[in-house]
Amino acid sequence: MNSFGRIFRVSIFGESHGAGAGIVIDGCPPGIPVTDDDFEKDLARRRSGADGTTPRKESDIPEVISGFFNGRTTGAPVAIIFRNSDTRSSDYSKFRAMPRPGHADFTSNLKYKGYNDMRGSGHFSGRITVGLVAAGVIAKKIIKDTDISAELVEAGGSRDIKKAVSEAASDNDSVGGIIECRIRNMTQGLGEPFFDSFESVLAHIIFAVPGVRGLEFGSGFKAASMRGSEHNDNFISFNGKTETNNHAGINGGITNGNEIFFRLAMKPTSSIAKTQITFNMEKKEMGELKAEGRHDTSFALRVPPVIEAAAAIAAADLFLINRIYQDIQ
Amino acid sequence: MNSFGRIFRVSIFGESHGAGAGIVIDGCPPGIPVTDDDFEKDLARRRSGADGTTPRKESDIPEVISGFFNGRTTGAPVAIIFRNSDTRSSDYSKFRAMPRPGHADFTSNLKYKGYNDMRGSGHFSGRITVGLVAAGVIAKKIIKDTDISAELVEAGGSRDIKKAVSEAASDNDSVGGIIECRIRNMTQGLGEPFFDSFESVLAHIIFAVPGVRGLEFGSGFKAASMRGSEHNDNFISFNGKTETNNHAGINGGITNGNEIFFRLAMKPTSSIAKTQITFNMEKKEMGELKAEGRHDTSFALRVPPVIEAAAAIAAADLFLINRIYQDIQ
Amino acid sequence: MNSFGRIFRVSIFGESHGAGAGIVIDGCPPGIPVTDDDFEKDLARRRSGADGTTPRKESDIPEVISGFFNGRTTGAPVAIIFRNSDTRSSDYSKFRAMPRPGHADFTSNLKYKGYNDMRGSGHFSGRITVGLVAAGVIAKKIIKDTDISAELVEAGGSRDIKKAVSEAASDNDSVGGIIECRIRNMTQGLGEPFFDSFESVLAHIIFAVPGVRGLEFGSGFKAASMRGSEHNDNFISFNGKTETNNHAGINGGITNGNEIFFRLAMKPTSSIAKTQITFNMEKKEMGELKAEGRHDTSFALRVPPVIEAAAAIAAADLFLINRIYQDIQ
Amino acid sequence: MNSFGRIFRVSIFGESHGAGAGIVIDGCPPGIPVTDDDFEKDLARRRSGADGTTPRKESDIPEVISGFFNGRTTGAPVAIIFRNSDTRSSDYSKFRAMPRPGHADFTSNLKYKGYNDMRGSGHFSGRITVGLVAAGVIAKKIIKDTDISAELVEAGGSRDIKKAVSEAASDNDSVGGIIECRIRNMTQGLGEPFFDSFESVLAHIIFAVPGVRGLEFGSGFKAASMRGSEHNDNFISFNGKTETNNHAGINGGITNGNEIFFRLAMKPTSSIAKTQITFNMEKKEMGELKAEGRHDTSFALRVPPVIEAAAAIAAADLFLINRIYQDIQ
């Protein structure tokens, strides 16, 4: 539920306005060197600060509790904590009565019978992806010859992302976006039929990232209108290189060595400064809601390093699992 | 790897041209009545026979080995087998030398070091989804008040599916399609943060179905160009009913009771009668390939019941898991 | 629940008097050669026939449904079925009213709300260990340099096992026994702290075998009365060989290369021909029970190959998991 | 590996002389009230201080990072950390060359290729059971009508535990012991055939506790010399109460409502002040070893609350899993 992976297994925890957020990583091979700079590089990209991101400032210093010795992983579980510092919990409990549209307020309150921590959306906040990024830093070291790179390529339907975000901000509104991710030089043979195809495992973790609405690999939705003769990627070399790459480096759920490419849709931030009309569960009538708190105009701006981390975690797990096929018989 | 689910757990097995295919279902509550007709209804929809489907005919009689007594589940694992009968294994081994473009030939041969059964694509064949459909029949009974319905709404970019398929067939080619699935009357509160959001679990099993290239929930890729004020679904009643349904019945990864809606892209069948130019791994040069064997012009035609089954399996598991939140404190 | 293992993962199914019993094995590396003789060797040892075993005769022919091609594993899931042939279902339903003492009748009926198949104890019968033995045959091939050997060393407190069993039989009674198992030449380094210590994983599967009441490793219960200076096993060579072996080849939950040794207690068969006084749940009064059906005087006689299989399955899984620590940094 | 449980799932981490130790608990139902006193009650029993325990003093203040709000669980993962304060890391690295007999030095060094943290035995220290005890406090609240009670009943073969420990201490030696645990008023129907029998799940976590050498349920090893007519527990009431309790409240792996009783053997502490002769891996010759550091004369003294916690964690998981059988058909 809050853990993912079979061998390289991450367990996430934390809340937006509680003590902090963090992650435990099990199945991490020993001897992997990770520096503070390694963490900071990815954490900085996720951090707020740019135009269109929340004014909340978190320093995101990783506090490593276990699993490291002399700068390298030991093979024991790695536990990393990030303290929350810049929290301002105005009255979030009102969202039990009047759940914000598009938010987890209604469903989390219902599922957890009112015991959930709603401050800053609690466990449902994007805040907890900070732990995912930390685990991704280590995962990237496991698949060390592989390069994973995600970027926001569109916001509000426009390639001029800066403008789309600033316009939405000045309208007290928010805006969604498209993220593209490329994985280069991925080991061949990763992915497990039937259920743990490379796409399945990746999709599982990608759709766990708050706000993802769609995911496509390679030709994606275009494939639906293509002919087989056009969509098939002809092999052109002994090592599996293909002429085209509609299959995004994956055949039958297993990596073929070509570039893996996927694209995903992020919804616009649900919390907006604009007044909304929604149902008041206590008064049992429609009412006006103004979502206070500090929010990203487009959290999609901060998601690319989270997607990279998610992809790295999924790939590292499949990479380690794939070793079982070596040198048995 | 070949199993899926935490409580309602299915383990799949089988090959296209081997003895058969099947599934074992663990965590199935006792007392669920399932008839032969229940199985046949869904199996018939997956079966070939319609225009554009393979001439291979399998009767798909479910052979129930265990877990049933007097027509009801017992609580012990359910094992179901489907015998293969109409197999014609022409020389598939040649695909080790000359892997079919778009197919699992290259990657499966590489991953399993040449020991995999390549006849009819072996374990990578759509054949093994027959077991998934059988498990789906039982899963649907667990979430018995819920209605799941998938259909092919487009092929080759056209709503005239019949025509698109017949044109592709006459060109010795294949064609992809779009499938839409609606889940009505789903129990509220299903889905587990962080990693097992309703979308994550569903995406995991959906992307395991051979040939899926993209998946979007509700507003999907359109969400990326929307504003928050437009995308947010305002609540209009005490029980969580919303005015619009861009979130497809899911907030924060948890079902809110509104209709769940998702859309997916199926690629065109990789095996086509048309001659293709690809790499010959033995001769180490490009060569001509003609994929023999019997194939669907558009396997997307047969996939809707498989998608329904996949969705039912995922939902049944989350439904059973959700019981842990009842009546503790 | 009915599956075990993280990588080499077995899923068991079947009933005593239903169609049959079997097992699905996932995570099995490709290319492992297994012959009919390999199966028969272990299955024959588990089969009835000797004095003190049930008169029920099953030929135990393994029907391999999937996962094999040309006599070797393919890397896809292996499914094996054993048909039941010699079943005589007298009226077992009476045991719902009058559950046999020591048996699963009361608890299974309660847990499964009366829907369980009680014929021959259904899924709770020792019959289903036939699948475990089949999986063990393959597991032994994975840890191929290792030798696992279990034997019954005591019955009814006596080393003269034959006599103890025959005396119990002539008294219409049953008798328990002690089984010892030795694992020689086990790879060093197997076992995962904290929860998946070698002992933990082994104990998990050993206690799944019906009738096991106690398990001890090496010095076992004697360790409780020993001093550390006496119990510690001094190393005497570079490769970890120890002078004594109180730790049974395991330190800190990880194999050290010395012989692994464990001992377990099997209870006497619960079903006895002797009349017993127990509670009649329908009449709500004490009553007489005579357990009909055919039973082993001491099923412990047939358990050694089951224990070997269980140990091999656990060891094969830990063996494959241990590969994740190779050659990363 | 470092996690346990299917629904109520704990993930453990930490080292003896690192920053600390802790645990993450997933699948914890919301609304469970837990006070500081609840934690302290069990933690105090595990803490050193009594005669025969290590002079190292840790205050064991639980630092709750997440999953609690207003004194109750929220349904989100609970993360708890215990800081290490009283650490004195003398040169533990020498144990790589000269591994302590009976200790994890040799195997952990080998498995983790020398990257493991050996200070105070690192992740292999009994220190990390502090997290287990914390998780047990919450688990006990889930199975709240059940009483679990473990105690040390023998040390060094004697019921005069105090004397046995003090004699061993004055000999610079250590001593083992026997722990008995009783679980009263356990819900009927817990335990999952085949692999997750109540005994299997319990044995898995019990054997993860460092130093456990043997485990028996009810009649245990005595069962091996008993007759069925003597060993069978006759039912004497409608609700499953039995006359005797050789089966320790478990039939067919499922709880029957009678008292659960198990007994386990703890080995003597491996680290002793006495000089030992063992192999020097660097010098490649036998040599003298004196284990410095602070150690328990009998760590068995501190283990009973750990066993209670382990039993509660296993039982809570099976309790939650058992809910899947309610009210389906």
Side-chain angles (χ1 to χ4, degrees):
Chain A
M1 292 155 333
N2 286 283
S3 57
F4 179 84
R6 188 177 297 260
I7 293 295
F8 184 80
R9 187 165 181 87
V10 297
S11 297
I12 211 163
F13 58 89
E15 283 91 21
S16 183
H17 290 200
I23 203 155
V24 173
I25 307 160
D26 198 10
C28 185
I32 300 175
V34 191
T35 64
D36 288 350
D37 282 356
D38 290 327
F39 284 117
E40 176 57 14
K41 209 181 118 216
D42 280 0
L43 290 167
R45 292 172 57 214
R46 183 194 157 282
R47 200 169 294 144
S48 61
D51 284 353
T53 62
T54 174
R56 175 176 172 185
K57 294 280 176 295
E58 291 290 353
S59 53
D60 296 340
I61 307 292
E63 191 181 336
V64 178
I65 304 293
S66 69
F68 272 88
F69 188 55
N70 292 336
R72 287 176 183 263
T73 57
T74 62
V78 174
I80 302 175
I81 293 174
F82 294 88
R83 301 279 166 182
N84 292 329
S85 54
D86 184 17
T87 58
R88 295 187 206 160
S89 297
S90 54
D91 187 11
Y92 273 90
S93 64
K94 67 178 174 191
F95 297 137
R96 295 203 200 271
M98 208 157 176
R100 287 168 292 173
H103 239 287
D105 294 343
F106 175 75
T107 51
S108 60
N109 193 34
L110 176 142
K111 187 176 183 82
Y112 300 113
K113 300 171 186 300
Y115 290 111
N116 56 315
D117 178 357
M118 294 192 79
R119 297 170 304 163
S121 298
H123 188 56
F124 290 83
S125 165
R127 171 66 181 151
I128 71 163
T129 60
V130 68
L132 211 64
V133 171
V137 169
I138 297 172
K140 287 176 179 177
K141 296 263 177 172
I142 291 175
I143 49 167
K144 60 176 190 281
D145 299 325
T146 299
D147 176 62
I148 303 182
S149 160
E151 57 173 336
L152 182 69
V153 295
E154 268 187 49
S158 159
R159 291 262 155 189
D160 187 341
I161 297 163
K162 211 164 173 162
K163 192 176 157 219
V165 171
S166 114
E167 284 177 358
S170 62
D171 292 348
N172 281 331
D173 214 331
S174 65
V175 73
I178 298 279
I179 290 171
E180 287 181 1
C181 184
R182 289 166 196 285
I183 309 180
R184 295 185 191 88
N185 209 19
M186 175 55 77
T187 307
Q188 292 181 316
L190 305 194
E192 299 295 317
F194 180 81
F195 291 111
D196 292 347
S197 73
F198 196 91
E199 295 102 323
S200 280
V201 174
L202 205 58
H204 191 138
I205 192 167
I206 292 289
F207 274 110
V209 176
V212 175
R213 299 278 77 203
L215 170 66
E216 57 180 5
F217 290 88
S219 55
F221 276 87
K222 286 200 197 77
S225 21
M226 290 166 82
R227 290 283 182 89
S229 58
E230 175 192 10
H231 188 263
N232 282 345
D233 300 311
N234 300 330
F235 293 102
I236 55 172
S237 85
F238 185 72
N239 66 1
K241 198 168 162 42
T242 57
E243 201 174 356
T244 50
N245 192 13
N246 290 309
H247 289 79
I250 309 165
N251 291 139
I254 301 173
T255 57
N256 64 20
N258 291 279
E259 183 183 274
I260 294 168
F261 170 75
F262 60 90
R263 217 166 159 266
L264 50 95
M266 303 300 300
K267 73 171 195 176
T269 310
S270 297
S271 296
I272 53 176
K274 230 176 198 168
T275 300
Q276 299 176 78
I277 311 294
T278 192
F279 202 78
N280 186 317
M281 305 281 165
E282 266 171 19
K283 298 189 178 166
K284 299 206 176 10
E285 60 181 33
M286 299 299 291
E288 282 198 358
L289 174 81
K290 226 176 124 106
E292 284 139 18
R294 298 165 293 169
H295 303 283
D296 298 302
T297 301
S298 181
F299 64 83
L301 290 161
R302 300 170 61 194
V303 169
V306 177
I307 296 301
E308 288 179 15
I313 289 166
D317 192 36
L318 291 171
F319 176 83
L320 293 174
I321 290 172
N322 194 46
R323 299 197 159 195
I324 68 174
Y325 301 105
Q326 316 303 321
D327 313 315
I328 291 281
Q329 64 285 353
Chain B
M1 288 148 342
N2 286 283
S3 56
F4 179 84
R6 186 177 299 260
I7 293 293
F8 185 80
R9 187 167 181 88
V10 297
S11 296
I12 211 164
F13 58 89
E15 283 91 21
S16 182
H17 291 200
I23 202 154
V24 174
I25 308 160
D26 198 9
C28 186
I32 300 175
V34 191
T35 64
D36 287 350
D37 282 356
D38 289 328
F39 284 118
E40 176 57 14
K41 207 181 118 216
D42 280 0
L43 290 168
R45 293 171 58 214
R46 183 195 157 281
R47 201 169 295 143
S48 60
D51 283 353
T53 62
T54 173
R56 175 176 173 185
K57 294 278 175 295
E58 290 290 353
S59 53
D60 296 340
I61 307 292
E63 192 182 335
V64 177
I65 304 294
S66 69
F68 272 88
F69 188 56
N70 291 336
R72 288 177 182 260
T73 57
T74 62
V78 174
I80 302 175
I81 293 173
F82 295 88
R83 301 279 166 184
N84 292 329
S85 54
D86 183 17
T87 59
R88 295 185 206 160
S89 297
S90 55
D91 187 10
Y92 273 90
S93 64
K94 68 180 174 191
F95 297 138
R96 294 201 202 273
M98 209 160 175
R100 287 169 292 173
H103 240 287
D105 294 344
F106 176 74
T107 51
S108 60
N109 193 34
L110 175 143
K111 186 175 184 83
Y112 299 112
K113 299 170 188 301
Y115 290 111
N116 56 315
D117 177 358
M118 293 190 79
R119 297 170 303 162
S121 298
H123 187 56
F124 291 84
S125 165
R127 170 67 181 151
I128 70 165
T129 61
V130 69
L132 211 64
V133 171
V137 169
I138 297 172
K140 286 175 179 177
K141 297 263 178 171
I142 291 176
I143 49 167
K144 60 176 191 280
D145 299 325
T146 299
D147 176 62
I148 303 182
S149 160
E151 58 174 334
L152 183 68
V153 294
E154 268 187 48
S158 159
R159 292 262 154 189
D160 186 343
I161 296 162
K162 215 169 170 156
K163 191 175 158 222
V165 171
S166 113
E167 284 177 359
S170 63
D171 292 350
N172 282 331
D173 214 331
S174 64
V175 71
I178 298 279
I179 290 171
E180 287 180 1
C181 185
R182 289 167 196 285
I183 309 180
R184 294 184 190 89
N185 208 19
M186 174 56 77
T187 307
Q188 292 181 314
L190 306 193
E192 301 294 318
F194 179 80
F195 290 110
D196 292 347
S197 73
F198 196 89
E199 294 102 323
S200 280
V201 174
L202 205 59
H204 191 138
I205 192 167
I206 292 290
F207 274 110
V209 177
V212 176
R213 299 278 75 206
L215 170 65
E216 56 180 6
F217 291 88
S219 54
F221 275 89
K222 285 199 199 78
S225 21
M226 289 167 82
R227 289 283 182 90
S229 57
E230 175 192 11
H231 189 263
N232 282 345
D233 299 312
N234 300 329
F235 292 103
I236 55 173
S237 85
F238 184 72
N239 66 1
K241 196 166 161 45
T242 57
E243 200 174 359
T244 49
N245 193 14
N246 290 309
H247 289 80
I250 309 164
N251 291 139
I254 301 174
T255 56
N256 64 20
N258 291 279
E259 183 182 271
I260 293 168
F261 171 74
F262 60 90
R263 215 165 161 267
L264 49 95
M266 302 301 299
K267 73 171 196 177
T269 311
S270 297
S271 295
I272 53 176
K274 230 178 197 165
T275 301
Q276 300 175 78
I277 310 293
T278 191
F279 202 79
N280 187 315
M281 304 282 167
E282 266 171 20
K283 296 190 177 165
K284 301 207 175 10
E285 60 182 31
M286 299 299 292
E288 282 196 357
L289 174 81
K290 227 176 125 108
E292 285 139 15
R294 298 165 294 169
H295 303 284
D296 299 302
T297 301
S298 181
F299 63 85
L301 290 161
R302 299 170 62 194
V303 169
V306 177
I307 295 301
E308 288 179 14
I313 290 165
D317 192 37
L318 291 171
F319 176 83
L320 293 174
I321 291 171
N322 193 47
R323 299 195 159 196
I324 67 174
Y325 300 105
Q326 316 304 321
D327 312 315
I328 292 282
Q329 65 284 352
Chain C
M1 291 151 338
N2 286 283
S3 57
F4 179 84
R6 187 178 297 261
I7 292 295
F8 185 79
R9 187 166 182 88
V10 296
S11 297
I12 211 164
F13 58 89
E15 283 91 22
S16 183
H17 291 200
I23 202 154
V24 173
I25 308 160
D26 198 9
C28 185
I32 300 175
V34 190
T35 65
D36 288 351
D37 282 357
D38 289 328
F39 284 118
E40 176 56 14
K41 208 181 117 218
D42 281 0
L43 289 167
R45 293 171 59 215
R46 183 194 157 282
R47 201 169 293 144
S48 61
D51 284 353
T53 62
T54 174
R56 174 176 173 184
K57 295 278 176 292
E58 290 290 353
S59 53
D60 296 340
I61 307 292
E63 191 182 335
V64 177
I65 305 293
S66 69
F68 272 87
F69 189 55
N70 291 336
R72 288 177 182 261
T73 58
T74 62
V78 174
I80 302 175
I81 293 173
F82 295 88
R83 301 277 166 187
N84 292 329
S85 55
D86 184 15
T87 59
R88 295 188 206 158
S89 297
S90 55
D91 187 11
Y92 274 89
S93 64
K94 67 179 175 190
F95 298 138
R96 293 202 202 272
M98 209 159 177
R100 288 167 292 174
H103 239 288
D105 294 343
F106 175 74
T107 51
S108 60
N109 193 35
L110 176 142
K111 187 177 183 82
Y112 299 112
K113 301 170 186 298
Y115 290 110
N116 55 314
D117 177 358
M118 293 191 80
R119 297 170 303 162
S121 300
H123 187 56
F124 290 84
S125 165
R127 170 67 181 150
I128 70 164
T129 60
V130 68
L132 210 65
V133 171
V137 169
I138 297 172
K140 287 176 179 177
K141 296 263 177 172
I142 291 176
I143 49 167
K144 60 177 191 285
D145 299 325
T146 299
D147 176 61
I148 303 182
S149 162
E151 57 173 336
L152 183 68
V153 294
E154 269 188 48
S158 159
R159 292 260 155 191
D160 187 341
I161 297 163
K162 210 163 174 161
K163 192 176 156 219
V165 170
S166 113
E167 284 176 0
S170 61
D171 293 348
N172 282 331
D173 213 331
S174 64
V175 72
I178 298 280
I179 290 171
E180 288 180 0
C181 185
R182 289 166 196 285
I183 309 180
R184 293 183 192 89
N185 208 18
M186 175 54 78
T187 308
Q188 292 180 316
L190 305 194
E192 300 296 316
F194 180 80
F195 291 110
D196 292 347
S197 73
F198 196 90
E199 294 103 324
S200 280
V201 174
L202 205 58
H204 191 139
I205 193 167
I206 292 289
F207 274 109
V209 176
V212 175
R213 299 276 77 203
L215 171 64
E216 57 180 6
F217 290 88
S219 55
F221 276 87
K222 286 200 198 77
S225 21
M226 290 167 82
R227 289 284 182 88
S229 57
E230 177 191 8
H231 188 263
N232 282 344
D233 300 311
N234 300 329
F235 293 102
I236 55 172
S237 84
F238 185 71
N239 67 0
K241 197 168 163 41
T242 57
E243 201 173 357
T244 50
N245 193 14
N246 289 309
H247 289 79
I250 309 164
N251 291 139
I254 301 173
T255 57
N256 64 20
N258 291 278
E259 183 183 273
I260 293 168
F261 170 75
F262 60 90
R263 218 167 158 264
L264 49 95
M266 303 299 301
K267 73 170 195 177
T269 310
S270 298
S271 295
I272 53 176
K274 230 176 198 169
T275 300
Q276 300 175 79
I277 310 294
T278 192
F279 201 79
N280 187 315
M281 304 281 166
E282 266 170 19
K283 297 188 176 167
K284 299 209 176 7
E285 59 183 30
M286 298 299 291
E288 281 198 358
L289 174 81
K290 229 175 122 106
E292 284 139 16
R294 298 165 294 169
H295 302 283
D296 299 301
T297 301
S298 181
F299 65 85
L301 290 161
R302 300 170 61 194
V303 169
V306 178
I307 295 300
E308 287 179 14
I313 289 166
D317 192 37
L318 291 171
F319 176 82
L320 293 174
I321 291 171
N322 194 46
R323 299 197 159 193
I324 67 173
Y325 300 105
Q326 315 304 320
D327 312 315
I328 292 281
Q329 65 283 354
Chain D
M1 294 160 325
N2 285 284
S3 56
F4 179 84
R6 186 177 298 260
I7 293 294
F8 185 79
R9 186 165 182 86
V10 297
S11 295
I12 210 163
F13 58 89
E15 283 91 22
S16 182
H17 290 199
I23 203 153
V24 173
I25 307 160
D26 199 9
C28 185
I32 300 174
V34 191
T35 65
D36 287 351
D37 281 357
D38 289 327
F39 284 118
E40 176 56 14
K41 206 180 121 220
D42 280 1
L43 289 167
R45 293 171 59 215
R46 183 194 158 280
R47 201 168 294 144
S48 62
D51 284 354
T53 63
T54 173
R56 175 177 171 183
K57 295 280 177 293
E58 289 290 353
S59 53
D60 296 341
I61 307 293
E63 192 181 335
V64 177
I65 304 294
S66 69
F68 272 89
F69 188 55
N70 292 336
R72 288 178 182 261
T73 57
T74 62
V78 174
I80 302 175
I81 293 173
F82 295 88
R83 301 279 165 184
N84 292 329
S85 55
D86 184 17
T87 59
R88 295 186 207 160
S89 298
S90 55
D91 187 11
Y92 274 89
S93 63
K94 67 180 174 191
F95 298 137
R96 295 201 201 272
M98 210 160 176
R100 287 167 292 172
H103 240 287
D105 295 343
F106 175 74
T107 51
S108 60
N109 193 34
L110 175 142
K111 186 176 184 83
Y112 300 113
K113 299 169 187 299
Y115 289 111
N116 56 316
D117 177 358
M118 293 191 80
R119 297 169 303 162
S121 298
H123 187 56
F124 291 84
S125 166
R127 171 67 181 149
I128 71 163
T129 61
V130 69
L132 210 65
V133 171
V137 169
I138 297 172
K140 286 175 179 177
K141 297 262 177 172
I142 291 175
I143 48 167
K144 60 175 190 281
D145 299 324
T146 299
D147 176 61
I148 303 181
S149 160
E151 58 173 335
L152 183 69
V153 295
E154 268 187 49
S158 159
R159 291 260 154 190
D160 187 342
I161 295 162
K162 211 166 174 159
K163 192 175 157 220
V165 170
S166 115
E167 283 177 0
S170 62
D171 292 349
N172 282 330
D173 214 331
S174 64
V175 72
I178 298 279
I179 290 171
E180 288 181 0
C181 184
R182 289 167 195 284
I183 309 180
R184 294 184 191 90
N185 209 18
M186 174 56 77
T187 307
Q188 292 180 316
L190 306 194
E192 300 295 316
F194 180 80
F195 291 111
D196 292 347
S197 72
F198 196 89
E199 295 102 324
S200 279
V201 174
L202 204 59
H204 191 138
I205 192 167
I206 292 289
F207 274 111
V209 176
V212 176
R213 300 277 77 204
L215 170 66
E216 57 181 7
F217 291 87
S219 55
F221 276 88
K222 284 198 199 78
S225 21
M226 290 167 82
R227 289 283 182 89
S229 57
E230 176 192 9
H231 189 264
N232 281 345
D233 299 312
N234 299 330
F235 293 101
I236 55 172
S237 85
F238 184 72
N239 66 1
K241 197 167 161 44
T242 57
E243 201 174 359
T244 50
N245 193 13
N246 291 309
H247 289 79
I250 309 164
N251 290 140
I254 300 174
T255 57
N256 63 20
N258 291 278
E259 184 182 272
I260 294 168
F261 170 74
F262 60 90
R263 218 166 158 265
L264 50 95
M266 302 299 301
K267 72 171 196 177
T269 311
S270 297
S271 295
I272 53 176
K274 231 178 199 166
T275 300
Q276 299 175 78
I277 310 294
T278 192
F279 202 79
N280 187 314
M281 305 282 166
E282 265 171 20
K283 295 187 177 167
K284 302 208 174 10
E285 60 182 32
M286 299 300 290
E288 283 197 355
L289 174 81
K290 227 175 124 106
E292 284 139 16
R294 298 165 293 168
H295 302 284
D296 298 301
T297 300
S298 181
F299 63 85
L301 290 161
R302 299 170 61 194
V303 169
V306 177
I307 296 300
E308 288 179 14
I313 289 166
D317 193 36
L318 291 171
F319 176 83
L320 293 174
I321 291 171
N322 193 47
R323 300 198 156 192
I324 67 173
Y325 301 105
Q326 316 303 321
D327 314 314
I328 291 281
Q329 65 284 354

